[in-house]
Amino acid sequence: MNAKHLPSILLVAAFTVVTPVLAGGDELVEQQALFDMSHYHDIGWSAFRRGEYELAEFRFSKAIESISPYQKNHLGVTARSYHDLARVLCAQKKFAQAEPLAKWVIEAREHDPRTRDDVLFDAVYLLAVIERELQKDAESVPLFTRAMKIEEKNVGAGSPRLALTIKELADAEARAGDLALADSHYLRAIRIHENANPDSADLAVALDARAQVLDRLGRGQEARAAEARAAAVRENVAKLARRSVR
């Protein structure tokens, strides 16, 4: 991974010169950089959890600046800081700024043989969401597809978590105009939710989304049936909620 692959807003940090405090102390300086990065990362998340997004953005940027001279030796933790910075930018709806960071994170994690599937999923899913928010549906569809495949391998084909990702993929396909494929994915998400929990609010959301696509496909009767099923599910969810507070 060389400097030309870094997001442009962080190129300066990538070329920061670190002068050892002791002759022959490069290793000590590198360890100090790792310590500084970890410190900025931790206090960055503290700020994020408090909703202090600008402060979190500053601290994650400082974490990246600390580790940049040694990123080839610590690609995983460097990618984590880029990912976290992209997330805080998304929280501020700065999706255009987050996009190059998220792309770099995927590239970095693909080049790191130690990257776990769940970590790669996080990176791919985040970029899919960013592209969706930037209304780049053609770019978001393959990313959601990839995220779905990674998740399916790790959580199982019947997981409600997977159904949520499949539903988001169907949303992107619907926006991109691929209605038949969107319908098939909505149907798959619906079946997973029905098998896992037939009284799930997520099931109702998927049914309503499918109804909209069915209408666009000219299948109005099926759309009304999906809407009726969604309404019945919501009624059951409300009844269960009322019982739980008695």
Side-chain angles (χ1 to χ4, degrees):
M1 192 75 54
N2 55 49
K4 72 179 182 179
H5 292 119
L6 287 170
S8 58
I9 64 172
L10 296 172
L11 281 174
V12 174
F15 290 101
T16 300
V17 176
V18 177
T19 304
V21 294
L22 296 171
D26 289 355
E27 185 175 342
L28 292 175
V29 175
E30 184 172 343
Q31 289 302 312
Q32 182 62 46
L34 282 167
F35 176 84
D36 291 344
M37 182 221 66
S38 179
H39 170 69
Y40 282 120
H41 178 268
D42 290 344
I43 63 175
W45 269 109
S46 294
F48 185 91
R49 285 190 289 268
R50 294 194 303 270
E52 298 176 10
Y53 298 136
E54 290 187 5
L55 180 57
E57 179 183 345
F58 170 77
R59 288 172 172 173
F60 287 136
S61 297
K62 292 294 289 184
I64 291 168
E65 181 180 340
S66 299
I67 200 60
S68 286
Y70 309 102
Q71 68 171 24
K72 289 184 179 179
N73 297 335
H74 306 284
L75 200 55
V77 293
T78 304
R80 182 185 68 176
S81 290
Y82 275 79
H83 180 78
D84 292 341
L85 178 56
R87 286 187 64 183
V88 78
L89 288 170
C90 289
Q92 300 174 84
K93 301 190 182 303
K94 297 179 179 178
F95 299 108
Q97 289 178 246
E99 184 183 32
L101 303 182
K103 288 181 177 179
W104 187 86
V105 170
I106 292 177
E107 183 179 354
R109 287 179 171 171
E110 287 173 338
H111 281 77
D112 186 349
R114 297 165 295 184
T115 298
R116 303 190 312 269
D117 276 354
D118 61 323
V119 174
L120 183 59
F121 169 84
D122 287 343
V124 173
Y125 179 81
L126 180 62
L127 182 57
V129 170
I130 290 169
E131 302 293 29
R132 178 189 69 197
E133 295 301 320
L134 291 173
Q135 299 183 356
K136 297 182 178 180
D137 296 314
E139 287 82 356
S140 71
V141 167
L143 289 164
F144 277 123
T145 300
R146 184 179 181 188
M148 176 190 69
K149 291 178 179 178
I150 296 171
E151 195 168 37
E152 182 176 21
K153 184 172 70 172
N154 287 276
V155 304
S159 168
R161 279 180 52 191
L162 175 63
L164 294 175
T165 304
I166 295 172
K167 189 264 180 187
E168 289 186 281
L169 169 59
D171 290 343
E173 290 166 338
R175 286 190 299 271
D178 197 342
L179 301 181
L181 192 55
D183 180 45
S184 69
H185 280 127
Y186 281 131
L187 191 56
R188 183 182 175 194
I190 287 165
R191 286 171 175 165
I192 292 172
H193 284 308
E194 286 178 333
N195 288 331
N197 182 6
D199 296 318
S200 161
D202 292 325
L203 170 58
V205 171
L207 284 161
D208 277 335
R210 183 177 184 234
Q212 293 180 30
V213 165
L214 289 169
D215 272 331
R216 293 170 65 186
L217 288 167
R219 295 158 61 183
Q221 187 173 355
E222 292 176 76
R224 303 292 79 75
E227 289 173 344
R229 172 76 173 118
V233 170
R234 286 197 176 90
E235 184 177 348
N236 286 338
V237 170
K239 287 180 181 177
L240 291 171
R242 288 193 294 270
R243 289 174 188 168
S244 67
V245 296
R246 288 178 181 174

